[in-house]
């Protein structure tokens, strides 16, 4: 069935039998989270598939929604993240990272390994355009002291250990910044934990300079747990929409982030306001 799902992602119409089988698999995958939805997920998936053309992007990305939830809203299992409404540049970069081996998840790589850069960006634009409400956050899943530690790291960082505040790059509302910086809210604690751990161990990488890998190396396991728990317990402001710009220069240089100003020290000496080069 994964071969059938992969065929849906190709920029051509899928055979009806393949589309029917894929819809059934998507409906089954989504039905696990149906209790949290007003309309049963399997019925919604079937209705959606019946009303779109097999050649439309909505039907081609059914392979994505099998794991990421209806319309990319995410599922409540705590692992697959929401992709709906995320910055298009960020989503495109991650698809390229999966395809090119900088991120490791075999199912993702298999689904997209033969897709072109332009088509992956088209898929990213589709999900970025989804304007869907976020559910309320779950109750905090850590002691008060750990939550306060997480809040302090997110809001203020730890200068003594060269850990910048998360908000200095991901935005004051932590909903990300267009076109390429992701939001940190509306994500499950377990997913946040796993990604910070992957940065720390080198299982997740980005274009050089890999700023998140450098930051993750400074975090202790308790730091990771505290940050993940605090972020996962926060409501999503402003509908989760990414900010247009950062209010100040980024404190560190990051690869893969285009047209964002970086502080002079992080830029290697040029005047403040130098622009991070686009890395594609």
């Amino acid at each position: 069935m994964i071969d059938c799902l992969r065929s849906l992602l190709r920029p051509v119409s899928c055979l009806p039998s393949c589309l029917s089988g894929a819809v059934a698999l998507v409906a089954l995958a989504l039905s696990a989270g149906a209790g949290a939805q007003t309309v049963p997920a399997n019925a919604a998936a079937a209705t959606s598939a019946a009303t779109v053309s097999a050649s439309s992007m909505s039907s081609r990305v059914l392979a994505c929604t099998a794991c990421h939830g209806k319309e990319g809203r995410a599922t409540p299992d705590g692992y697959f993240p929401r992709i709906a409404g995320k910055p298009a540049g960020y989503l495109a970069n991650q698809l390229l990272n999966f395809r090119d081996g900088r991120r490791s998840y075999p199912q993702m790589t298999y689904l997209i390994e033969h897709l072109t850069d332009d088509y992956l960006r088209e898929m990213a634009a589709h999900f970025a355009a989804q304007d869907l409400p976020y559910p309320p956050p779950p109750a905090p899943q850590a002691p008060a002291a750990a939550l306060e530690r997480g809040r302090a790291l997110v809001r203020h960082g730890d200068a003594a250990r060269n850990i910048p505040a998360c908000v200095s790059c991901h935005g004051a509302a932590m909903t990300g910044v267009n076109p390429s910086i992701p939001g940190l809210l509306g994500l499950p604690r377990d997913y946040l934990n796993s990604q910070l751990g992957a940065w720390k161990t080198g299982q997740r990488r980005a274009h050089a300079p890999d700023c998140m890998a450098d930051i993750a190396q400074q975090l202790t396991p308790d730091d990771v747990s505290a940050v993940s728990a605090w972020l996962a317990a926060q409501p999503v402001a402003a509908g989760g929409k990414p900010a247009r710009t950062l209010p100040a220069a980024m404190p560190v240089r990051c690869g893969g982030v285009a047209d964002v100003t970086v502080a002079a020290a992080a830029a290697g000496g040029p005047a403040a306001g130098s622009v991070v080069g686009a890395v594609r």
Side-chain angles (χ1 to χ4, degrees):
M1 185 58 75
I2 192 170
D3 290 324
C4 194
L5 288 174
R6 182 164 78 161
S7 73
L8 282 174
L9 290 172
R10 295 172 183 165
V12 294
S13 296
C14 179
L15 294 174
S17 61
C18 181
L19 179 60
S20 175
V23 169
L25 180 59
V26 171
L28 180 62
L30 293 178
S31 64
Q37 302 178 21
T38 302
V39 179
N42 55 347
T47 300
S48 175
T51 58
V52 297
S53 165
S55 63
S56 74
M57 183 57 70
S58 295
S59 62
R60 294 179 207 164
V61 298
L62 283 173
C64 308
T65 61
C67 291
H68 290 280
K70 183 177 182 289
E71 300 168 306
R73 296 171 185 258
T75 51
D77 60 13
Y79 185 75
F80 296 105
R82 178 186 174 111
I83 53 179
K86 294 295 177 70
Y90 170 75
L91 293 175
N93 280 341
Q94 299 318 301
L95 287 168
L96 291 166
N97 286 344
F98 277 116
R99 189 196 65 186
D100 298 341
R102 287 178 293 272
R103 292 188 67 174
S104 177
Y105 190 66
Q107 292 91 326
M108 275 290 299
T109 301
Y110 182 72
L111 285 173
I112 64 176
E113 62 185 346
H114 298 302
L115 301 181
T116 66
D117 291 11
D118 286 345
Y119 192 63
L120 292 177
R121 292 190 181 106
E122 187 180 349
M123 290 170 56
H126 169 82
F127 282 109
Q130 303 305 307
D131 186 7
L132 305 166
Y134 279 76
Q141 298 174 288
L147 293 170
E148 174 55 26
R149 177 60 178 161
R151 185 200 66 80
L153 285 169
V154 170
R155 291 293 189 190
H156 307 295
D158 188 336
R161 293 191 288 152
N162 295 318
I163 300 173
C166 301
V167 296
S168 63
C169 293
H170 293 272
M174 294 173 290
T175 54
V177 183
N178 276 321
S180 301
I181 300 175
L184 301 178
L185 302 184
L187 295 166
R189 183 190 66 164
D190 290 346
Y191 176 78
L192 291 165
N193 260 327
S194 69
Q195 296 311 300
L196 287 170
W199 287 116
K200 192 173 180 67
T201 62
Q203 291 179 308
R204 179 172 177 174
R205 295 175 288 117
H207 291 290
D210 194 343
C211 57
M212 276 303 305
D214 293 339
I215 293 168
Q217 292 301 318
Q218 307 305 315
L219 297 173
T220 68
D222 285 344
D223 290 337
V224 170
S225 180
V227 166
S228 299
W230 189 82
L231 287 171
Q234 303 312 301
V236 182
K241 296 185 183 302
R244 294 179 62 185
T245 60
L246 282 171
M250 287 176 60
V252 293
R253 182 182 287 279
C254 294
V257 178
D259 302 328
V260 179
T261 56
V262 62
S274 62
V275 177
V276 177
V279 181
R280 295 296 183 189

